[in-house]
Amino acid sequence: MRLFDATTATLERALDVRLTRQGVLAHNVANVDTPGFTPRDVNVTTQVQTAAAGGLGLDATQGAHLGAEGSSGSRPAVTTEEVPGARRLDGNAVDVDRVMATLAENAMQYSAAARTVSRKLAILRYVASDGNG
């Protein structure tokens, strides 16, 4: 019997991706006045679907990286992509209102995934204690 199932692994990956996305979006806000800055975002759906399909192998970004058998258990990198949008006269394409709304949505999604993991762990704790709280 497996203690942590595929759902738990997918939720863990979703938390990792959402946390990374929060940092990427915050980076966009921090560069709102940087001329020529192109905002980036994380496609959460693609990243989590890859995890659900078993694509959690390690990404070797350099030839000197160790293979999976010699890895330290690190997670694969979350890829970002450029966000298309209208550029201002200074070449910056950050839409602060849109980024702030996306930040709020991402925070709610992270919180929902964290609550789900917490509930799954509470069930395991209940079972491990033979139903005695």
Side-chain angles (χ1 to χ4, degrees):
M1 179 180 106
R2 292 180 52 188
L3 189 59
F4 298 106
D5 58 1
T7 303
T8 306
T10 302
L11 286 168
E12 181 183 353
R13 179 64 175 166
L15 288 170
D16 289 345
V17 172
R18 294 252 176 230
L19 183 62
T20 301
R21 186 179 195 207
Q22 201 74 2
V24 169
L25 293 171
H27 180 71
N28 291 344
V29 172
N31 285 287
V32 70
D33 292 325
T34 304
F37 182 78
T38 301
R40 300 190 67 78
D41 199 356
V42 175
N43 187 331
V44 176
T45 305
T46 302
Q47 297 291 322
V48 174
Q49 284 176 348
T50 301
L56 289 177
L58 297 175
D59 291 342
T61 56
Q62 295 181 3
H65 286 172
L66 296 175
E69 59 278 349
S71 71
S72 62
S74 63
R75 315 287 280 141
V78 175
T79 57
T80 61
E81 48 197 47
E82 289 186 8
V83 177
R87 294 193 174 273
R88 299 187 312 242
L89 292 177
D90 66 356
N92 189 304
V94 176
D95 181 351
V96 177
D97 294 331
R98 183 176 301 208
V99 174
M100 295 305 287
T102 306
L103 275 165
E105 176 194 1
N106 190 61
M108 287 189 310
Q109 294 291 338
Y110 182 91
S111 179
R115 280 192 310 271
T116 304
V117 169
S118 177
R119 289 182 183 139
K120 283 189 70 71
L121 293 176
I123 291 169
L124 288 174
R125 188 172 34 253
Y126 179 77
V127 170
S129 68
D130 291 330
N132 294 323

